[in-house]
Amino acid sequence: MILDRFDIWVAGAGYAGAVAARALAEQGKRVLVLERRDHIGGNAYDCLDGAGVLIHKYGPHIFHTNDRKVFDFLSRFTQWRRYQHRVIANIPRDNPEVVPAHKVTDGRFFLPVPFNLDSLKNAFGEREGKRLGQKLLDAYPAQSQVTILELRQNPDPEVAAIADYVYEHVFVHYTMKQWGQTPEEIDPATTARVPVRLSQDDRYFQDAYQGMPLEGYTRMFERMLDHHNIEVRLGVDARPLLKEAQGPVIYTGQADELFDFKFGPLPYRTLDFKFETLSQDCFQTHGTVNYTVDQDFTRITEFKHLTGQDLPGVTTIVKEYSRAYTGGEGETPYYAIINRSNNALYAKYRAEADKYPNLHLLGRLAEYKYYNMDAIAARALELAERL
Ligand code: FAD
Ligand code: UDP
């Protein structure tokens, strides 16, 4: 490989790597992108499965942002399908006295998530739900939402009872499945991603720009990386080559792996995805259904809701099972486990990276953060400008 033809090397062709590569290529830099997998797109990669259904191989991805700059940048490489994600929780009816009978199907009932004023009506019936909703509005007159941890601090007995209900039916079991820890034990910013809404807005995200790339994420990445100044090599682990680099290197993989785990492995959660293709038009009413109280999986996503693909008689769903990442063969580290001691461990790797002025750690893995796609794209654009 002739490596000195390039001004900048990028390890990883996900959001971080691809956005940075394109922005730098447009500044006239010759960019080499090395990707370990046999495809581009990182965890946002999508492809057709055996039945022709467009699936997301590494879990469901819905694009949403308030960042106009990011949205405009990505919009150069894709058109968008208008899509607003809506999620319901599927819950066994534990208390027949409370949930109205007409809301129950096969012993289960449904709550819009994020939990909102309509969720209260599903849970407690029209009149009582409305009364409790007013109680919440009076308790937080200046807010449009409140986190579950904040709600649990409220001293009013009736508000506290609502908090207990939401905690039990939406948060505690799901969080235990996802993290192996309670909502109090994990980073508060994580449960704050899904607040209790003091309105009837049942959209999962409230961002100004939301949607799905019309022809899929992979197509969008293909266009982004299609530039005369960019060369992409797939199936290449960048690490053994990095010492050859003459100029700046943007590394978007795991920071601990880059330094041979010299301070010990950074903890992550991984997911097992179980895909099922079914001979029916449609499996569920919503793009994603969260199983917030029972089942071993956290949620089921049916891709056709997200992509809008018109494919009668067949559909594919995915169930997500979360567990500790062990670093075993074929495992992917999906979620950094943000807490004080893990952040301190990460800081050691960061300090090690800082010894190399040409090395730039960028992305969800490399920065050990819980970033959405848009946040990574924004950081990649910033870094490209700085370089
Ligand atoms: P990645 O996508 O992980 O890309 C890193 C790339 O680097 C990978 O392709 C990897 O193979 C490659 N790489 C690693 N090490 C090396 C190496 N040594 N050499 C060469 N290549 C290497 N965000 C949203 O905004 N909306 C969503 O709905 C959403 N849903 C999600 C659902 C799940 C289940 C998960 C896990 C995440 C979700 N996200 C979502 C977050 C989103 O996946 C990330 O923000 C985004 O993928 C981060 O991009 P990245 O480039 O930092 O990392
Ligand atoms: N969460 C929950 N119940 C839900 C949805 C989310 O307890 O029905 C909590 C859980 O701790 C989860 C966090 O909120 O990890 C963030 O949820 P989000 O849907 O944003 O997670 P992601 O899509 O990133 O996996």
Side-chain angles (χ1 to χ4, degrees), residues 113 170-171 174-175 178-179 186 190-191 193-194 204 290 292 299 335 370:
V113 174
V170 179
F171 284 97
Y174 187 102
T175 299
Q178 177 73 7
W179 299 99
I186 65 172
T190 299
T191 47
R193 289 166 61 91
V194 184
Y204 208 64
N290 287 0
T292 50
R299 57 189 176 189
Y335 296 90
Y370 197 158

Side-chain angles (χ1 to χ4, degrees), residues 110-121:
F110 308 92
L111 292 177
V113 174
F115 195 94
N116 61 56
L117 298 182
D118 282 338
S119 311
L120 274 173
K121 293 181 189 164

Side-chain angles (χ1 to χ4, degrees), residues 351-362:
E352 196 66 15
D354 288 344
K355 292 181 187 163
Y356 303 86
N358 265 340
L359 175 64
H360 303 275
L361 300 187
L362 178 74

